[in-house]
Amino acid sequence: HGSDETREVLMKTAFLPRVSAALAEAVTGKSDAIEHIEDLYRRHLFTDRSVGGEITYQYHALFRAFLKSKASTEFSADTCHSIALRAAAALQTEGHADLAFALFVEAGEWSGAEKIIIDSAPQMLAQGRWRTIVQWVENLPSGRLDANPWLQYWLGRSTTFLDPVAARSVL
């Protein structure tokens, strides 16, 4: 039934802050998922479209919150967790480390969040985004930092710009 499929696509893609055709397919497993979202946009229903390097869609904030709430009642907690992880992995693959990190944190998937920090830190430091690294590490549970020397290293490297004395003890 078409409306059931549309509902499922909308609830699953609501885990993404912005939805492209590739991201919609990655999260839903349906090659035509973006068509459901395009239909909402054409009917002027709670959806905006941006045209840049690729066409992306964004649900209005309240609509997205509603869809995520519906997903949490219609899908099991394990299914919601799985959708969030697929969304985060797809975002990371598409080069949206910031958005993927936020989803990993929201899902409590600390190893995924840590991997993003470690993989992104060299480029972020080169771009002068050391504060973001510090903020990301602060989002992790404290025990995670102690257990991962690479997190300590990148936190120390980032803290060097803010407080070199404190950075020395971290390093």
Side-chain angles (χ1 to χ4, degrees):
H1 187 259
S3 64
D4 288 343
E5 185 176 337
T6 298
R7 248 183 42 239
E8 181 183 337
V9 165
L10 297 180
M11 286 186 291
K12 287 181 176 179
T13 56
F15 285 81
L16 297 160
R18 298 196 71 72
V19 185
S20 66
L23 289 171
E25 183 175 351
V27 171
T28 65
K30 298 179 186 312
S31 60
D32 66 343
I34 202 69
E35 293 172 18
H36 297 277
I37 301 166
E38 170 65 26
D39 181 55
L40 276 187
Y41 171 74
R42 272 189 261 113
R43 294 180 359 203
H44 306 287
L45 297 174
F46 314 110
T47 310
D48 293 323
R49 181 170 73 179
S50 298
V51 179
E54 66 179 334
I55 295 173
T56 59
Y57 299 87
Q58 182 174 2
Y59 298 125
H60 293 187
L62 289 174
F63 185 54
R64 182 171 177 231
F66 167 77
L67 290 171
K68 284 182 80 173
S69 171
K70 289 298 283 179
S72 70
T73 60
E74 294 215 10
F75 301 134
S76 70
D78 285 346
T79 300
C80 285
H81 186 75
S82 173
I83 294 166
L85 295 184
R86 275 199 313 273
L91 285 165
Q92 188 174 11
T93 300
E94 296 271 317
H96 302 289
D98 296 37
L99 301 174
F101 179 82
L103 261 180
F104 278 128
V105 168
E106 185 180 321
E109 189 63 38
W110 306 119
S111 59
E114 290 172 9
K115 183 172 178 0
I116 288 179
I117 294 170
I118 293 165
D119 291 349
S120 304
Q123 181 182 8
M124 291 173 73
L125 278 179
Q127 295 169 344
R129 297 180 59 205
W130 53 271
R131 278 193 175 98
T132 302
I133 297 169
V134 172
Q135 290 169 343
W136 282 2
V137 171
E138 289 172 351
N139 275 304
L140 301 174
S142 59
R144 302 296 296 203
L145 177 63
D146 298 337
N148 191 326
W150 280 109
L151 287 177
Q152 294 172 17
Y153 172 75
W154 290 115
L155 177 62
R157 290 277 313 272
S158 301
T159 307
T160 301
F161 299 99
L162 180 65
D163 185 351
V165 175
R168 186 174 194 165
S169 68
V170 173
L171 288 169

